[in-house]
Amino acid sequence: TPTDPKVEELITKAAKYDPGKVMTSGYTKAKDADHDVQQRLSDLWKAETTDYHLTYVSTTETFDQNSQRIRLPTEVLTGGSGNCIETSLLYAAAAEALGLEPVIIIIPGHAYMGVNLDGQGSNWYFIETTMIGRYTFADALKEGSTEWDTDSPHVEAGDKDYGDVNVLKARSDGITPIPWN
C-alpha cells in the first residue's frame, strides 16, 4: 500500500531526520556505496519510533490457526503498534513509495523484510521490524542480517513454510496496491 496517505505522511516525517532534510526516491550508487538507501531506511525507523511511538505487539486474533490478521499501514501508524507482518508491510510500503525494491521474508511463525541495496537484485539489507521502538535501526539491521543468514538456505530451497514476496516482482505479475481516494 505505497499510496496510503499515512505512508506519505511517514515519509514526510522521516525527512526531518535526514542530514539533508529530504527524502529522495530511487537508487544512487551500486551496492549503496554512498549509504543513501541505508540512511533513508534509518530515517523511516526514527520517524516510526519518535513521531509515531510505534512498537511491536504480538496479536493472535485469527480466524483459524494458520493465519494472522493484517492491518493496513494507516491502522498500524494510528494505533502505534503492529505485529511482525504488519510492521514489515508498513516498512515495505514506505520503501516502495521511495522507489526502492522491498521483499517480505516469511518463515515459520514470523515475517521480516528486506530492501535491495541498489536495484540490481543481488545485495540486500534485511530488517527485523519487530525491534521497532526498543532498539536502534543498526540493531534491527544486524538482527535481520543474522536471521537471513539462517533462513536463506530454507527460502532458496523452497522449504515448507519458508518464502519471500518480492514486491517489485508482484507488481510486474499484476498485483497492484490497494487504491486510495
Side-chain angles (χ1 to χ4, degrees), residues 148-167:
W148 179 246
D149 288 344
T150 300
D151 299 331
S152 62
H154 300 286
V155 172
E156 292 166 5
D159 290 352
K160 184 179 185 314
D161 298 327
Y162 286 84
D164 61 20
V165 177
N166 183 304
V167 176

Side-chain angles (χ1 to χ4, degrees), residues 3-168:
T3 58
D4 181 331
K6 279 290 199 182
V7 170
E8 182 67 30
E9 180 183 281
L10 168 63
I11 292 168
T12 300
K13 288 179 185 280
K16 72 182 177 187
Y17 298 104
D18 188 80
K21 305 296 184 208
V22 298
M23 290 296 273
T24 58
S25 184
Y27 294 99
T28 56
K29 300 281 184 186
K31 296 185 182 179
D32 197 29
D34 59 359
H35 303 286
D36 180 60
V37 172
Q38 185 177 5
Q39 181 64 53
R40 285 182 278 159
L41 295 173
S42 177
D43 296 339
L44 289 169
W45 189 271
K46 287 177 188 169
E48 287 179 357
T49 300
T50 306
D51 297 316
Y52 293 95
H53 308 287
L54 198 61
T55 190
Y56 168 72
V57 174
S58 177
T59 54
T60 57
E61 181 180 321
T62 64
F63 296 102
D64 64 59
Q65 63 187 17
N66 295 319
S67 67
Q68 186 172 15
R69 75 178 175 136
I70 300 175
R71 295 177 298 150
L72 296 171
T74 293
E75 298 166 299
V76 173
L77 290 170
T78 301
S81 68
N83 60 35
C84 62
I85 190 67
E86 293 167 340
T87 56
S88 293
L89 290 171
L90 169 61
Y91 223 86
E96 182 183 13
L98 288 171
L100 304 175
E101 181 183 351
V103 62
I104 303 296
I105 307 299
I106 301 164
I107 63 172
H110 187 54
Y112 57 101
M113 64 89 58
V115 175
N116 189 267
L117 270 67
D118 57 11
Q120 302 302 310
S122 59
N123 298 292
W124 298 83
Y125 290 121
F126 292 98
I127 305 159
E128 179 47 75
T129 61
T130 64
M131 296 173 75
I132 193 72
R134 299 174 294 133
Y135 296 91
T136 67
F137 176 72
D139 294 333
L141 200 58
K142 183 177 179 183
E143 182 63 25
S145 179
T146 299
E147 288 175 351
W148 179 246
D149 288 344
T150 300
D151 299 331
S152 62
H154 300 286
V155 172
E156 292 166 5
D159 290 352
K160 184 179 185 314
D161 298 327
Y162 286 84
D164 61 20
V165 177
N166 183 304
V167 176
L168 185 63

